[in-house]
Amino acid sequence: MVKTISAKELAQKVINHEDLFILDTRNTDDFDDWKIEGRNVKVHNTPYFDLLEGVDPVKDVLPKDQEIYVVCAKGGSSEFVAEQIEEAGYSNVYSIEGGMKAWSEHLEPVKIGDLKEGGSLYQFVRIGKGCLSYLVESNGEAAIIDTNRMIEQYEEFMSGKDYKLVALLDTHLHADHISGGRKLAEKVGAKYYLPPKDAEEVTFQYEPLQDGDEIKVGNTVIRSVYSPGHTIGSTSFIIDDQYLLTGDILFIDSIGRPDLAGLAQDWVGDLRNTLYKRYKELADELLVLPAHYMGINEMNDDGSVSEKLGVLYAENHGLQIDSEDTFRKTVTENLPPQPNSYQEIRQMNMGKINPDIEEQREMEIGPNRCAVR
């Protein structure tokens, strides 16, 4: 029986920057679109169909002296290939359970820091998709920001802890992943918050988030800052006067794209105003915590993704464009492909469609593409 490793165990190895060798047996097109990445991860792609007769095609690349991890789309083909590799005389061979589907869904909690009046802030790193969500806990209460679809993982994290979930907030109507905020709010009887300008077509009740609103969570306050540009309703949050949650407006190495509702030309001015005026008025010492990251190079040594606002104004290329015309060109002409199924994801986040869980998983497969490079 071939050995297996879970997405969670593998994620911890990636976050700890261990040396890893991964053999990806998916079709080359799928591999080129999206793969397991890490600071010390070496990934080789040879499709499953090339390995049906044995592992001769990859013998030259398989390491003799370290573990070999085999991945496929869902975990079946990788078991077969891992067995073949073992039979060829390699000992430490593992199949990654659930394949890239499971990798896409794992959330790894990383503590960002303590709050001034007691409590903590955690970042949940969705390492297979680059999504970041946040849990604030203070004096027996908690809130989650930009909740992912896999709400069980937040519940598991909170189980046994002595705080009650009182608020679920989305920085904007997401287009690259399905929000679990409303579902979790309904399940636990908490309030679900959404910016009203993004919610004009939603089919459900929600708490509107206006500029300057303050939401109390235990002894701490989440203050909303209207920051349009990625969407017309995009709203950032300042927590405890030390953390700035920027949603999909500002990333560590890039800035948000304004086109996912088909309104790039309309929203590019809002994006520039938010980045070059609104955020400029905020304290340089605020720690920026975005809703996504694009590459493993943005990850800190502890696995978190963050940087001080003042550092980003000095180093982030999207904040160095003096000319308004050049900025407009950059964010409307240099856009990556749109996220997979983004229209359907938006429809689902509005409550207009309700596909089954397997369809939801398919909708989310692939990388996030929320940034302008």
Side-chain angles (χ1 to χ4, degrees), residues 131-187:
C131 299
L132 301 167
S133 49
Y134 298 89
L135 184 144
V136 184
E137 62 85 11
S138 168
N139 195 34
E141 294 186 337
I144 302 176
I145 293 116
D146 289 332
T147 316
N148 279 273
R149 168 175 56 82
M150 297 76 65
I151 60 173
E152 303 77 18
Q153 295 186 51
Y154 302 102
E155 292 176 302
E156 193 180 312
F157 177 82
M158 291 187 290
S159 71
K161 296 186 170 69
D162 58 351
Y163 42 77
K164 178 178 188 260
L165 192 54
V166 294
L168 288 294
L169 305 89
D170 272 327
T171 51
H172 63 289
L173 187 87
H174 294 281
D176 81 308
H177 71 270
I178 295 162
S179 168
R182 179 167 57 102
K183 187 176 177 185
L184 187 50
E186 286 171 1
K187 187 171 180 181

Side-chain angles (χ1 to χ4, degrees), residues 14 17 22 49 83 92 149 153 159 252 309 322 338 357:
V14 172
H17 311 300
I22 295 169
F49 291 107
E83 277 174 14
N92 286 326
R149 168 175 56 82
Q153 295 186 51
S159 71
I252 304 306
L309 184 60
D322 293 335
Q338 292 179 314
I357 186 65

Side-chain angles (χ1 to χ4, degrees), residues 257-305:
R257 62 190 294 170
D259 69 309
L260 293 182
L263 295 167
Q265 294 295 342
D266 296 7
W267 291 355
V268 65
D270 291 326
L271 182 65
R272 184 170 175 84
N273 191 56
T274 292
L275 293 173
Y276 285 69
K277 290 187 181 149
R278 192 92 213 242
Y279 280 178
K280 265 271 168 78
E281 293 161 3
L282 303 176
D284 279 352
E285 286 304 298
L286 284 171
L287 191 70
V288 169
L289 297 164
H292 287 97
Y293 67 100
M294 299 303 292
I296 216 77
N297 59 309
E298 294 167 70
M299 195 174 269
N300 301 321
D301 287 342
D302 65 354
S304 68
V305 178

Side-chain angles (χ1 to χ4, degrees), residues 244-263:
L244 173 64
L245 276 60
T246 54
D248 284 349
I249 285 289
L250 177 61
F251 307 116
I252 304 306
D253 193 34
S254 50
I255 58 176
R257 62 190 294 170
D259 69 309
L260 293 182
L263 295 167

Side-chain angles (χ1 to χ4, degrees), residues 335-354:
L335 295 169
Q338 292 179 314
N340 300 340
S341 307
Y342 79 100
Q343 294 285 24
E344 291 88 345
I345 290 172
R346 290 183 78 244
Q347 297 275 313
M348 177 147 188
N349 288 336
M350 290 177 196
K352 291 183 172 184
I353 59 171
N354 188 23

Side-chain angles (χ1 to χ4, degrees), residues 222-237:
I222 300 175
R223 181 160 56 86
S224 58
V225 178
Y226 180 50
S227 47
H230 175 65
T231 64
I232 193 62
S234 286
T235 297
S236 305
F237 300 116

